[in-house]
Each structure stands twice: as C-alpha cells, then as structure tokens.
Amino acid sequence: MDYATSDARTPLGATADNGLKIVVVGGFGVGKTTLVRSVSEIRPLNTEETMTRAGEAIDDISEVRGKSATTVAFDFGRITLDAHNVLYLFGAPGQERFWFLWDRLFSGTLGAVVLVDTRRIDDSWYAIDRLEHHGTPFIVACNDFGGPGHTPAEIREALDLDPHVPLIDCDARSRESSKRVLITLVEHLKTVYAAAAEATAPATPATEEVTKSPELAL
C-alpha cells in the first residue's frame, strides 16, 4: 500500500483557523486520486493498493485497462483559500465494495465534487444518491477521457440533475482545470449557504465563513 508522506510544499499559515471539508467522489477509475494530487498544495496522502488478478472478479476494469492501483481508504490533500480558510480534500474510494466508507467521509462535509467519466455515466448515480440523501451540496465535473462528446443537456438528463447543480468539464490531470473545479464548488457553496443563512438566521460560524467569499489563493 502506498502511503505518501505529507512533506509540505506550502506550510499551513499560522492564522488559518477554519478548516472546510470537501469530498471528491465518483465511480471506479474516474480520476479522483488524480484530481487531489494535481491540485493539493501539499504532497497528498494516498492509500492505494496494487490491483491484482484476484480483484478482476470483483471490480469491472473493462473501461480502465491501464489502471494498476486503486484507492482502498481515501486520498487527502489541502488547499489554502485565504489567511483563515483552508480546504481539506478527501478523495473517496470508487469500488462498490468500499462504498460503506462513504457515509463516514460525508460526515462534516460542506460540499462535494462528483467526478464523472461520461463513457460510464451509470457509475455516478450512487454518489449523487448518497449526497442527496445526506443533503450535501455538490457539483458535477466531467473528466476528459477522450470519449464521445455529450451535450450538457444530455448529461443532466442521464444523471437526473437538478437545474441548480453546476455541471462543468475538467481534466483532472491539470492543476488549472482542477482549480477551476474547486472554485466552481466554492462559489456554489457560497450561494447555497447564503440562501440557507437568510432563511434560518442567525448563521452558524461555518456558514458565515463560507459566505464571506474567500478567494482561492493558488
């Protein structure tokens, strides 16, 4: 198992006092680990296990033939938003046999990114179902695997997405593209929690921090 050490490329600022938990979730092999690695300001913690022949009878690898390792617990990375706010990124395992971990990962989560491979849209339904069950705000990011193109309307219909859920394209290998995914999520959270704060004032401290419009300092 590969446990990467957390040798910091960017030290956590002494004034950082508000941690915001974000989960990256989706089907098997959609690029969750890749996204966390590409955007984290520290060397991410990965819990990857080498895939073996024994796993072929359990995990469907027909669309991810080049995949040689898989997350068995979670990935962890960090992004500084501003002097006080920090995003902690948790990448969830994608195989069905590890889905029992998801509910624990969702605990205390402000929002989530559902990463989608449009060649295997069906693999994303469970992630969306669990997030909606928990009432966790999320966005959907379609990772570019070079497959046939689909219009946003077609993807929304296939995933049965509510109109207010942001849907964007991304390349999880690209730091700039992954940053755009997180910016989209933060902006969506600002909208969601601002509306909730107006409806149920006074706002909680966590909600107040999100609605202060922190900028991604990347």
Side-chain angles (χ1 to χ4, degrees):
M1 187 179 296
D2 175 23
Y3 289 92
T5 59
S6 57
D7 299 330
R9 290 180 291 191
T10 303
L12 183 62
T15 59
D17 54 11
N18 190 48
L20 310 174
K21 181 180 177 182
I22 299 298
V23 172
V24 182
V25 69
F28 177 52
V30 297
K32 300 179 294 297
T33 298
T34 300
L35 188 147
V36 173
R37 282 177 175 169
S38 71
V39 78
S40 177
E41 67 189 16
I42 62 172
R43 185 181 178 188
L45 167 67
N46 302 127
T47 57
E48 288 198 315
E49 183 73 41
T50 300
M51 297 178 66
T52 65
R53 289 187 178 275
E56 293 181 5
I58 303 173
D59 302 320
D60 181 6
I61 63 170
S62 59
E63 297 289 345
V64 286
R65 290 294 183 184
K67 190 170 177 62
S68 61
T70 186
T71 300
V72 296
F74 60 85
D75 305 307
F76 174 77
R78 189 189 77 205
I79 289 288
T80 297
L81 295 177
D82 57 28
H84 293 280
N85 298 286
V86 178
L87 280 186
Y88 293 112
L89 308 176
F90 290 82
Q95 301 99 308
E96 184 174 352
R97 56 195 165 114
F98 295 127
W99 284 353
F100 71 93
L101 295 170
W102 287 13
D103 286 346
R104 289 185 177 274
L105 279 177
F106 292 163
S107 178
T109 297
L110 278 181
V113 174
V114 178
L115 203 57
V116 173
D117 179 351
T118 55
R119 302 170 303 172
R120 300 178 287 130
I121 287 181
D122 290 1
D123 293 354
S124 306
W125 288 348
Y126 183 77
I128 292 173
D129 177 74
R130 295 315 299 165
L131 289 167
E132 290 179 341
H133 173 77
H134 284 272
T136 303
F138 64 92
I139 69 167
V140 173
C142 296
N143 198 9
D144 181 12
F145 284 92
H150 298 281
T151 67
E154 290 172 337
I155 295 172
R156 283 188 176 277
E157 182 178 2
L159 294 174
D160 193 24
L161 285 183
D162 286 339
H164 74 277
V165 176
L167 172 66
I168 62 173
D169 294 322
C170 76
D171 182 345
R173 300 166 298 180
S174 164
R175 179 173 174 81
E176 290 302 315
S177 183
S178 296
K179 281 166 52 178
R180 186 167 62 87
V181 170
L182 296 181
I183 290 170
T184 301
L185 176 60
V186 170
E187 290 175 344
H188 180 54
L189 293 177
K190 283 161 46 183
T191 301
V192 170
Y193 286 109
E198 291 178 2
T200 58
T204 64
T207 300
E208 291 172 350
E209 292 296 341
V210 172
T211 57
K212 286 179 183 177
S213 304
E215 297 296 332
L216 283 175
L218 302 176

